[in-house]
Amino acid sequence: MIRKNITPFLLVFAAVFGIALSASAQSSQPFFTETFPSQADFNANWTSGGTNGGSESWEWVDDPSGLFNGQPDFASETADNGFARFNSDANGEFNHDVTLTINNPIDCSGRDMVFISVQNQYGYFSNISEAQVGISTDGVNFDYITILEDVRGNDISDPVQIVELDISEFAANEAQVFIQFRWVGNFEYTWSIDDVKLFEEDPQLQFNLTLETPLIPFNYATPVSQAGDFFFGHAYRNNGSQSAMDVMTTLEIEGNNGDTFSTTEALQMSFAPGASDTVGYTETFMPSDTGVYVYSYALSSANQDEQPSDNTFAGDFLVTENLFSKDDGRGLAATQPATIVDNTWEIGNYYVIENPGQVATEAIFSVASNGNSHQGQSVSILLYQITDNGDTQFDDDDVTVVGFGSYEFTDEVGGQAVSA
């Protein structure tokens, strides 16, 4: 998934829709719970702080809808009644080290063990992004634990990510415990936080499989003349405390033209806690005609999953008469290389021609700029054929220009699609 890039064609993307199911109850009862039930509760109990060159701060939100193409609705247990969120994307290209700190300390005295559980939806773009949970007994000096390290950059496909930590080292038998969430980053996506709970016993679920990094179609739209086999697969992990038995995965595809496809892969007879693996479906899919195709993954086992919201993933793609497109053209953001030589740079998309004899006639694209400063500027569109020269570098020696176009912007606003 390519994010935040201006492109003379369309960005690599596919429309994805997460299936958000309710989180299950924990195996033990919490002695502290925060569900962010109202703006008043948020204002009274939490303080947004830290350092930030941008305009955003932590805020209370009661709309769990995904903010970006491919981001499903936030599926925390109580997302509908409100949650905390920092919108790094809206903050812009500014370094931030922002904190959300509880105002009233939590009494953990007499509790020999303390665990924290937090439900998140976290997405980042830069390599400096770091999410942390801080624990303090005075509200000033915090010990930090880095979390969500298994989330991959540019992956915003998860409806919910549950973090469970043993914080006994910092909180056990303490009369007052402060909790803080800290995000160091620059122009990331967002971090949403909900259902913060403290337990005396380990709250880890027994059976909790997670479907991760699903493979999406190579193009969002592919001409029927170029539609070869579509490959599917995903990674998966056992986040439960017990082995999962008879793990399997199913892929289903349904087109509005009547095409259907279904395949199931047996994965693990016994899948140990903490284990992870990947699967590529043996069967591939060949569409028969133009249309809109919806695909869905489902991961399951012989055990009843206690957190089913992260076991599924769904999206769609198009088979068209003559359009190639990497994305669905909605809600795209943009950036540029850190270093630009002679005020010119290039970015492009890669398409595979399964059947020769086709002619490219048009390129549809958009750009974005601060203050619409692209107005009055021009862009060149180059169509290359790859002619690999056999060395280890991919550079200008590996491509041949076979088509050329240009476009001059007048009053088009950022993100407005144009064609040349």
Side-chain angles (χ1 to χ4, degrees), residues 51-366:
T51 58
N52 180 22
S55 60
E56 296 296 302
S57 60
W58 288 92
E59 60 182 348
W60 180 80
V61 182
D62 61 355
D63 181 2
S65 301
L67 295 182
F68 310 100
N69 253 345
Q71 185 178 46
D73 296 350
F74 185 25
S76 67
E77 188 175 351
T78 64
D80 288 337
N81 83 339
F83 53 92
R85 182 173 72 194
F86 184 82
N87 191 332
S88 181
D89 182 81
N91 197 61
E93 295 185 67
F94 297 97
N95 287 327
H96 61 69
D97 185 345
V98 291
T99 58
L100 181 66
T101 309
I102 197 168
N103 295 333
N104 304 311
I106 304 164
D107 185 2
C108 295
S109 56
R111 304 182 190 277
D112 295 334
M113 300 290 290
V114 180
F115 299 84
I116 187 171
S117 173
V118 186
Q119 299 186 22
N120 309 264
Q121 191 177 45
Y122 166 69
Y124 68 95
F125 174 69
S126 79
N127 58 11
I128 69 168
S129 183
E130 190 170 20
Q132 298 177 329
V133 171
I135 307 297
S136 171
T137 56
D138 60 12
V140 177
N141 302 294
F142 284 84
D143 291 292
Y144 292 103
I145 305 170
T146 300
I147 60 174
L148 298 164
E149 293 183 282
D150 57 341
V151 179
R152 300 188 183 188
N154 268 335
D155 184 0
I156 54 173
S157 63
D158 287 336
V160 64
Q161 301 135 339
I162 297 178
V163 170
E164 295 165 339
L165 300 172
D166 183 349
I167 57 171
S168 304
E169 176 185 357
F170 312 109
N173 295 304
E174 296 290 347
Q176 58 176 23
V177 173
F178 294 86
I179 300 170
Q180 182 182 93
F181 300 97
R182 179 186 183 190
W183 193 6
V184 178
N186 181 314
F187 197 34
E188 317 299 342
Y189 291 90
T190 62
W191 184 9
S192 297
I193 295 171
D194 200 6
D195 298 300
V196 182
K197 302 176 184 180
L198 295 185
F199 298 83
E200 288 187 86
E201 301 175 3
D202 190 345
Q204 184 180 10
L205 301 176
Q206 294 186 65
F207 301 108
N208 182 18
L209 293 177
T210 303
L211 190 153
E212 301 177 336
T213 57
L215 187 63
I216 64 177
F218 187 63
N219 307 312
Y220 177 70
T222 302
V224 65
S225 64
Q226 306 303 322
D229 288 328
F230 284 70
F231 297 89
F232 292 87
H234 59 81
Y236 58 102
R237 182 186 304 272
N238 185 0
N239 287 322
S241 63
Q242 304 295 317
S243 293
M245 310 305 292
D246 299 327
V247 180
M248 65 178 56
T249 180
T250 298
L251 167 68
E252 294 187 348
I253 302 175
E254 183 172 351
N256 64 353
N257 54 16
D259 267 4
T260 59
F261 176 82
S262 180
T263 184
T264 297
E265 297 274 345
L267 300 179
Q268 307 279 348
M269 293 184 63
S270 178
F271 195 39
S276 60
D277 207 341
T278 59
V279 58
Y281 289 93
T282 304
E283 292 187 67
T284 58
F285 172 65
M286 171 73 81
S288 65
D289 200 354
T290 60
V292 179
Y293 290 84
V294 176
Y295 64 94
S296 59
Y297 293 105
L299 180 68
S300 63
S301 75
N303 313 103
Q304 183 175 353
D305 200 289
E306 298 172 77
Q307 180 60 41
S309 62
D310 54 15
N311 288 27
T312 56
F313 183 89
D316 67 349
F317 61 92
L318 307 180
V319 177
T320 65
E321 288 289 348
N322 53 24
L323 175 67
F324 260 134
S325 178
K326 287 296 182 186
D327 69 273
D328 63 4
R330 297 175 299 183
L332 303 178
T335 190
Q336 63 187 28
T339 302
I340 301 175
V341 179
D342 297 328
N343 202 34
T344 300
W345 57 280
E346 294 181 291
I347 184 170
N349 285 330
Y350 170 64
Y351 298 100
V352 175
I353 304 301
E354 297 281 351
N355 301 298
Q358 308 300 311
V359 176
T361 61
E362 180 184 17
I364 303 170
F365 59 96
S366 66

